[in-house]
Amino acid sequence: MRVRFTLLAAVLYLLLSIPGVGAETPALDRVVLQLKWRHQFQFAGYYAAAAKGYYKEAGLEVEMREAMPGKDPVEEVLAGRAQFGVGTSELVLLRAHGKPVVVLAAIFQHSPLILLAPKHPGVSTLHDLAEKPLMIEPQSAELFAYFKHEGIDPKKLKVETHTFSVEDLTRGRVAAMSSYSTDEPFVLREAGVGFLMFTPRAGGIDFYGDNLFTTEREIAANPERVRAFREASLRGWEYALAHQEEIVDLIRNRYSTRKSREHLLFEAVETAKLMHPRLIQAGHMNPGRWQHIVQAYREFGMIDRPLSLDGFLYGVTAAPNLRWLYWSLGGVSVLATRASAPCLSAPGQQR
């Protein structure tokens, strides 16, 4: 009996000596990612990171919150109600005004923000919209910069509250609305409505889009958590772009059926065009290009002094200015649009 007990004790000791055996599983660190819109392929990389276990491997449990009416997604992060968020390149304007935002990664290498208008005989250029009612969403500074570039005073525009309803466009309540090139064009095509897309890139305003960001406070308090969240998120984006149909089905099964499978697949294809996954690593950002964005805002009076990017760009050191590459990619995109859908875009105003 004593021998049997001794053997059992020895086996138990050996088992407990194996790393992880008998130890409690460490609790996952819970964080909130504040999205800038409702669930759709626009945030596919984050869904993939959760579904494939990348966040869990990083020790994280991530809650992804949709944007809610009346709540500013950036303010949710600044107020500490979320640790991470998704924002436009307008983040650099907030930085210029003293807000402690820090960009972790540029997800879209080109901004998807456009001005969308039904195709009418009286509308062919941006100037034709200058005195008509427009719906322009918050954080659309690049659109106002585009108007200014075209010699149109943004202060004189007839901007109405954005309802995010394409019906307001098709019924003529407004002449144009800010949209994403990856999203609303699908709705108009399905309805058989011809349309024009006015993109700031036509005026040389080529900004990043859907930037992943956090705050100086979060980085100072939880540097390892920030690093782990960023890396897991970018792994998710790489997976999502390589497995688009799988992630589309994941979105519809787990997050939202608001959009049809065909709509989400359209969004996936258009998103990939803005990210250039075969040429550029997910999340890449270039300090020279951010300086170009700052300069564009300065030229249009939105920033009144030189702005240092120190502390604004996470983990980025001085690098060659790849502006020529982005302009080349933008040119290829424009040519592709002209070739594939000439009847849907205004001359000289194509994305």
Side-chain angles (χ1 to χ4, degrees), residues 130-320:
E131 297 182 359
K132 293 179 170 61
L134 310 172
M135 292 194 302
I136 299 180
E137 61 201 85
Q139 298 184 28
S140 297
E142 62 199 86
L143 285 179
F144 293 113
Y146 182 29
F147 275 108
K148 202 159 186 177
H149 175 271
E150 295 295 315
I152 302 168
D153 186 354
K155 295 179 181 178
K156 295 182 179 180
L157 295 174
K158 298 178 180 179
V159 179
E160 300 191 6
T161 300
H162 209 308
T163 64
F164 298 96
S165 172
V166 174
E167 288 187 358
D168 284 331
L169 200 61
T170 57
R171 292 179 178 178
R173 193 182 75 80
V174 294
M177 62 183 277
S178 62
S179 309
Y180 262 28
S181 62
T182 54
D183 192 350
E184 285 83 1
F186 177 87
V187 179
L188 294 183
R189 288 180 183 176
E190 287 291 287
V193 177
F195 57 89
L196 307 175
M197 294 186 295
F198 299 91
T199 169
R201 271 193 280 168
I205 303 168
D206 188 9
F207 291 178
Y208 288 121
D210 276 33
N211 302 281
L212 179 62
F213 75 97
T214 188
T215 61
E216 292 179 345
R217 178 183 63 250
E218 175 65 19
I219 293 173
N222 303 288
E224 180 57 28
R225 183 166 77 181
V226 171
R227 182 200 62 77
F229 180 82
R230 179 184 183 276
E231 290 183 0
S233 297
L234 296 183
R235 283 182 68 193
W237 270 110
E238 291 171 355
Y239 187 92
L241 293 179
H243 303 82
Q244 295 177 16
E245 292 196 22
E246 176 187 339
I247 302 305
V248 162
D249 291 336
L250 170 70
I251 293 170
R252 286 183 53 80
N253 291 333
R254 188 173 300 180
Y255 293 96
S256 174
T257 56
R258 180 173 58 91
K259 291 186 174 181
S260 68
R261 191 172 191 272
E262 292 73 22
H263 192 161
L264 290 171
L265 287 172
F266 169 87
E267 188 183 4
V269 170
E270 296 302 312
T271 294
K273 291 178 183 178
L274 297 175
M275 294 181 66
H276 305 292
R278 295 183 180 180
L279 298 174
I280 301 174
Q281 187 176 13
H284 172 78
M285 51 187 178
N286 182 274
R289 186 148 178 240
W290 273 107
Q291 282 291 0
H292 171 66
I293 293 171
V294 170
Q295 185 58 32
Y297 280 137
R298 289 195 67 196
E299 288 175 3
F300 300 121
M302 297 179 179
I303 295 179
D304 58 7
R305 62 185 183 281
L307 176 67
S308 171
L309 296 178
D310 291 345
F312 176 66
L313 304 180
Y314 177 84
V316 174
T317 55

Side-chain angles (χ1 to χ4, degrees), residues 34-50:
Q34 177 63 59
L35 308 179
K36 65 189 295 289
W37 187 228
R38 299 167 69 184
H39 291 305
Q40 54 190 44
F41 198 88
Q42 180 179 350
F43 311 110
Y46 310 114
Y47 307 140

